């Protein structure tokens, strides 16, 4: 009787798969939003609005009136980290409360939760190093890793718990992985471009020393390669009848073209802040669309039902 009551207490507030998936989606949106707001900090030259970390000043954890609008912007972005962390914590609690328990969900949810303070620490190091461009780039890439984990969790919630089965031939799965690697490299080189450009986050912050024109060309070459691979994936998926994967590739191509247009316009208009911010949002969307293609190349099958228990033979003479 005590065991039954304990089980009832543990599922008093069950979490449905729909609610769990919505929370996971909210986590994706929140992490993308903090990338955009972090970009606003840099684009408004507010990167040192709070000149130290974890405090905002040597004597205060919050911004002061003397620090002006730059302090408000930087401190506001720090506060958003707590909001993103609360959402991630809610996802972890929802995974624990969900019935039946789903294997594979908790590691992803915990990974997102712990990735947020790790990303915040890197953000603090950027302040302590006076916005070192290499550390700033690492800060952005850490956010991309958290977004990728949040997306994987969101997709995993909808899937059954059986084994993974490919939906396209092995060579096309390999091509999808190559495309994912190129997409990641484009993001990395994009941080080098940013580190060589004018938006340092503070007027006195150092630049990485790379030639902006040359590194921008390297970045553009990577984008052309990525688009070419994405187009190849689309037609290859269509050729083998993998319509779901082909639709995902079409979305990726559309996002890449939109991102490419923004990139070229911002380059030839001398990097206006609004377009740079839009380009940062586009980077998040390219990552998500790339992962969408990767997930479309496989599916997870329903879990096999548990084998029936073998009947226990009754000892001879037990009924005597």
């Amino acid at each position: 009787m005590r065991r039954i009551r304990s089980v009832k207490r543990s599922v008093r507030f069950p979490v449905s798969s729909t609610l769990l998936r919505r929370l996971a989606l909210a986590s994706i949106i929140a992490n993308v939003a903090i990338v955009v707001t972090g970009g606003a900090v840099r684009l408004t030259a507010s990167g040192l609005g709070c000149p130290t970390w974890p405090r905002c000043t040597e004597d205060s954890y919050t911004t002061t009136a003397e620090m002006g609008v730059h302090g408000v912007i930087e401190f506001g972005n720090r506060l958003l980290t707590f909001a993103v962390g609360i959402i991630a914590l809610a996802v972890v609690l929802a995974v624990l409360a969900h019935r039946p328990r789903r294997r594979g969900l908790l590691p992803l949810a915990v990974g997102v939760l712990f990735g947020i303070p790790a990303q915040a620490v890197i953000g603090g190091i950027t302040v302590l190093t006076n916005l070192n461009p290499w550390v700033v780039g690492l800060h952005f890439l850490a956010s991309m890793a958290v977004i990728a984990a949040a997306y994987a969790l969101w997709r995993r919630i909808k899937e059954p718990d059986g084994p993974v089965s490919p939906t396209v031939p092995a060579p096309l799965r390999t091509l999808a992985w190559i495309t994912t690697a190129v997409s990641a490299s484009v993001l990395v080189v994009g941080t080098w471009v940013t580190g060589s450009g004018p938006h340092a986050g503070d007027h006195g912050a150092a630049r990485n020393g790379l030639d902006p024109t040359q590194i921008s060309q390297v970045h553009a070459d990577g984008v052309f390669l990525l688009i070419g691979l994405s187009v190849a994936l689309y037609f290859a998926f269509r050729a083998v009848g993998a319509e779901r994967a082909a639709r995902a590739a079409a979305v990726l191509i559309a996002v890449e073209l939109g991102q490419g247009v923004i990139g070229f316009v911002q380059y030839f208009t001398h990097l206006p802040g609004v377009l740079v911010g839009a380009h940062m949002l586009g980077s998040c969307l390219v990552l998500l669309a790339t992962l969408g293609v990767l997930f479309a190349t496989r599916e997870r099958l329903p879990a096999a039902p548990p084998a029936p228990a073998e009947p226990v033979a009754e000892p001879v003479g037990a009924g005597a």
Side-chain angles (χ1 to χ4, degrees):
M1 181 63 70
R2 289 181 180 176
R3 184 179 179 184
I4 294 175
R5 288 176 180 173
S6 175
V7 172
K8 286 183 177 179
R9 281 197 298 269
S10 67
V11 295
R12 183 176 297 175
F13 302 106
V15 173
S16 67
S17 296
T18 300
L19 176 58
L20 185 56
R21 190 166 166 83
R22 287 175 179 173
L23 285 172
L25 179 59
S27 182
I28 297 173
I29 295 172
N31 279 286
V32 171
I34 202 167
V35 169
V36 176
T37 59
V41 171
R42 181 167 56 82
L43 294 169
T44 57
S46 302
L48 294 178
C50 287
T52 189
W53 188 89
R55 295 175 184 264
C56 195
T57 70
E58 293 295 338
D59 302 317
S60 174
Y61 281 98
T62 62
T63 185
T64 62
E66 293 79 8
M67 301 170 70
V69 66
H70 293 307
V72 172
I73 293 172
E74 164 65 6
F75 182 68
N77 191 63
R78 293 187 183 189
L79 287 180
L80 284 177
T81 301
F82 290 98
V84 176
I86 289 172
I87 294 174
L89 177 60
V91 173
V92 171
L93 295 176
V95 168
L96 292 173
H98 183 264
R99 294 294 183 276
R101 283 285 180 88
R102 299 281 308 282
R103 69 167 184 253
L105 297 187
L106 188 59
L108 288 170
V110 171
V112 173
L113 177 62
F114 281 92
I116 292 168
Q119 188 257 18
V121 169
I122 298 173
I125 295 173
T126 67
V127 173
L128 298 177
T129 57
N130 294 317
L131 307 182
N132 181 290
W134 300 106
V135 182
V136 172
L138 180 61
H139 186 45
F140 172 80
L141 295 175
S143 294
M144 295 294 103
V146 174
I147 290 172
Y151 179 84
L153 174 61
W154 179 67
R155 291 294 297 255
R156 184 71 180 83
I157 291 169
K158 192 175 182 180
E159 296 178 331
D161 289 326
V164 172
S165 175
T167 58
V168 300
L172 295 189
R173 286 213 71 191
T174 300
L175 183 59
W177 276 107
I178 292 173
T179 304
T180 302
V182 171
S183 181
S185 68
V186 167
L187 291 175
V188 172
V189 177
T191 65
W192 301 349
V193 175
T194 299
S196 70
H199 297 292
D202 185 81
H203 298 299
R207 303 283 72 206
N208 60 21
L210 299 176
D211 181 82
T213 301
Q214 292 181 355
I215 196 62
S216 294
Q217 183 61 58
V218 172
H219 183 58
D221 292 342
V223 171
F224 289 137
L225 175 60
L226 178 60
I227 293 175
L229 289 170
S230 302
V231 172
L233 278 175
Y234 172 77
F235 285 108
F237 290 152
R238 290 291 303 272
V240 298
E243 293 300 325
R244 184 169 69 100
R247 287 193 298 270
V251 171
L252 175 59
I253 294 169
V255 173
E256 290 167 349
L257 291 176
Q259 176 75 334
V261 169
I262 295 173
F264 275 105
V265 173
Q266 73 169 4
Y267 180 80
F268 289 108
T269 55
H270 307 292
L271 305 175
V274 173
L275 289 182
V276 175
H279 200 57
M280 293 186 69
L281 173 60
S283 297
C284 298
L285 298 180
V286 168
L287 171 66
L288 293 171
T290 302
L291 294 174
V293 172
L294 197 59
F295 272 81
T297 63
R298 31 76 80 204
E299 62 182 357
R300 197 173 283 274
L301 304 176
E310 293 289 338
V312 179
E314 186 175 341
V316 178

